[in-house]
């Protein structure tokens, strides 16, 4: 039960946060952002700046994208749009 | 000067048991005084139920179609209790008009994530209304509860996260509510078969009226 309860609680947290956000803004007139948001934004900027400034010690891995072999093109049969399968027929013309 | 106690049943969602609770609460209140049941839901389920009711039965509740708060004012002048079955939306004009003029709003919530998430919006809408009607007392009631379901039990705890008081009384999922509706009756008129449901409705009324 506690797992279900935890999951339910987690599911409503974004809703409660969303509802509280405008209230927090409204409570600080003349201030562009609530303090919590501002500090987290500042922390975020600092992290980004630090990431930019830090030398890249390790070369980033490059993942090669594997390409699937091309499928052979289907031969046009003339029955593609006629629901041949549903009519119990083969797609091959006689 | 209004005298009667006015109780609205409202929610964002349809199918959460507003009308069923409204008619049974009205039947319970009829034991305490005169009752008017205002059907503000365009679906008109309660009006149909009223017309479907057995004419031989002594149903002590008058059902009236309602689309403006003036009807609520006159009903509360004439009766001890008025129940309003609101449309399945909290942000439409007609619902808001009624909520600005009632003493209590009961919000039935089903034990499902969808209903839980909708409750947040219900809490917001009611909070806005309370700025114009500070005397409004909101109540959430967990409806159609499945006693053995862990989900249902968890819902009771999680509902408390919103800024709405949750009634201690929970309404179990019982066929007798649907049967009463089908027979054009309330659970109070079904004798022994209706007793567990009657106990639930009485408990809700006691909680709300004693608050």
């Amino acid at each position: 039960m506690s797992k279900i309860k935890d999951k339910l609680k987690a599911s409503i947290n974004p809703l409660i946060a969303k509802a509280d956000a405008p209230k927090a803004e409204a409570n600080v007139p003349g201030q562009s952002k609530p303090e919590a948001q501002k500090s987290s934004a500042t922390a975020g900027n600092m992290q980004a700046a630090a990431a930019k400034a830090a030398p890249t010690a390790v070369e980033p891995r490059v993942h090669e994208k594997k390409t699937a072999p091309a499928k052979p093109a289907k031969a046009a049969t003339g029955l593609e749009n006629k629901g041949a399968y549903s009519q119990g027929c083969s797609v091959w013309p006689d | 000067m209004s005298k009667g106690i006015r109780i609205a049943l409202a929610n964002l969602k349809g199918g959460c048991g507003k009308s069923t609770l409204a008619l049974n609460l009205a039947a319970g209140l009829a034991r305490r005084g005169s009752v008017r049941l205002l059907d503000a839901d365009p679906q008109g389920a309660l009006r149909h139920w009223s017309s479907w009711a057995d004419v031989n039965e002594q149903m002590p509740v008058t059902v009236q179609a309602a689309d403006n708060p003036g009807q609520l004012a006159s009903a509360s002048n004439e009766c001890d209790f008025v129940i309003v079955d609101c449309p399945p939306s909290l942000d439409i004009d007609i619902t808001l008009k009624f909520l600005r003029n009632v003493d209590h709003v009961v919000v039935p919530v089903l034990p499902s994530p969808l209903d839980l998430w909708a409750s947040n919006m219900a809490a917001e809408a009611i909070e806005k209304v309370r700025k114009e009607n500070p005397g409004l007392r909101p109540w959430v009631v967990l409806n159609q509860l499945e006693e053995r379901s862990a989900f249902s039990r968890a819902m009771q705890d999680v509902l408390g996260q919103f800024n709405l008081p949750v009634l201690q009384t929970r309404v179990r999922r019982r066929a007798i509510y649907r049967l009463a509706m089908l027979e054009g009756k309330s659970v109070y008129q079904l004798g022994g078969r209706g007793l567990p449901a009657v106990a639930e409705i009485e408990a809700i009324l006691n909680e709300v009226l004693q608050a």
Side-chain angles (χ1 to χ4, degrees):
Chain A
M1 180 186 158
S2 65
K3 273 186 186 173
I4 295 173
K5 199 197 286 184
D6 291 345
K7 221 165 195 180
L8 279 174
K9 277 185 180 172
S11 78
I12 61 169
N13 282 341
L15 297 173
I16 292 174
K18 198 176 165 186
D20 287 346
K23 285 179 205 163
E25 277 179 19
N27 288 341
V28 190
Q31 197 170 337
S32 58
K33 279 182 183 177
E35 210 51 44
Q37 281 185 26
K38 199 181 257 182
S39 61
S40 69
T42 312
N45 291 342
M46 285 169 69
Q47 277 181 356
K52 266 188 184 176
T56 50
V58 182
E59 282 296 313
R61 286 183 185 177
V62 178
H63 294 278
E64 284 182 16
K65 197 176 180 183
K66 289 178 183 173
T67 50
K71 289 180 184 173
K74 283 182 185 171
T77 60
L79 286 171
E80 288 87 351
N81 298 325
K82 293 180 182 172
Y85 285 114
S86 64
Q87 290 169 26
C89 317
S90 151
V91 294
W92 299 106
D94 293 328
Chain B
M1 181 73 184
S2 65
K3 299 176 201 74
I5 296 174
R6 299 152 297 178
I7 303 172
L9 277 288
N11 199 333
L12 284 165
K13 284 179 83 266
C16 59
K18 280 193 309 294
S19 302
T20 305
L21 277 180
L23 83 87
N24 286 298
L25 289 173
L29 288 171
R31 295 170 140 199
R32 295 162 170 84
S34 55
V35 185
R36 180 86 47 88
L37 182 49
L38 297 183
D39 186 2
D41 189 339
Q43 294 174 69
L46 290 181
R47 277 166 277 162
H48 183 68
W49 165 78
S50 172
S51 65
W52 181 245
D54 188 344
V55 289
N56 297 319
E57 288 287 337
Q58 293 285 320
M59 190 62 195
V61 176
T62 313
V63 181
Q64 180 190 339
D67 58 7
N68 69 76
Q71 291 164 299
L72 174 62
S74 59
S76 63
N77 282 332
E78 295 160 15
C79 301
D80 299 315
F81 302 99
V82 184
I83 297 270
V84 187
D85 184 26
C86 291
S89 177
L90 273 171
D91 56 356
I92 61 171
D93 199 39
I94 182 71
T95 304
L96 295 175
K97 278 180 181 169
F98 279 114
L99 293 188
R100 286 182 200 119
N101 291 281
V102 294
D103 305 298
H104 301 271
V105 54
V106 177
V107 182
V109 174
L110 302 186
S112 88
L114 288 177
D115 279 69
L116 179 67
W117 301 334
S119 303
N120 184 52
M121 290 178 73
E124 284 177 36
I126 289 169
E127 197 180 315
K128 280 181 195 167
V129 171
R130 288 186 78 186
K131 286 175 185 163
E132 295 168 69
N133 179 9
L136 176 66
R137 304 287 302 269
W139 306 100
V140 171
V141 60
L142 195 50
N143 194 20
Q144 297 187 22
L145 187 89
E146 291 152 342
E147 202 64 53
R148 292 181 183 175
S149 154
F151 203 101
S152 288
R153 291 200 298 274
M155 274 288 288
Q156 181 83 0
D157 295 328
V158 179
L159 269 174
Q161 303 277 312
F162 299 122
N163 290 328
L164 291 177
V166 183
L167 290 177
Q168 288 301 308
T169 307
R170 294 170 289 180
V171 180
R172 284 181 63 178
R173 186 176 175 83
R174 299 178 191 279
I176 201 76
Y177 285 107
R178 299 187 288 276
L179 188 67
M181 184 73 85
L182 184 63
E183 292 185 13
K185 296 174 180 172
S186 74
V187 290
Y188 285 84
Q189 295 163 288
L190 295 181
R193 293 179 299 164
L195 284 180
V198 166
E200 288 172 347
I201 299 295
E202 285 292 310
I204 291 175
L205 288 173
N206 288 336
E207 273 195 72
V208 171
L209 297 177
Q210 286 169 14

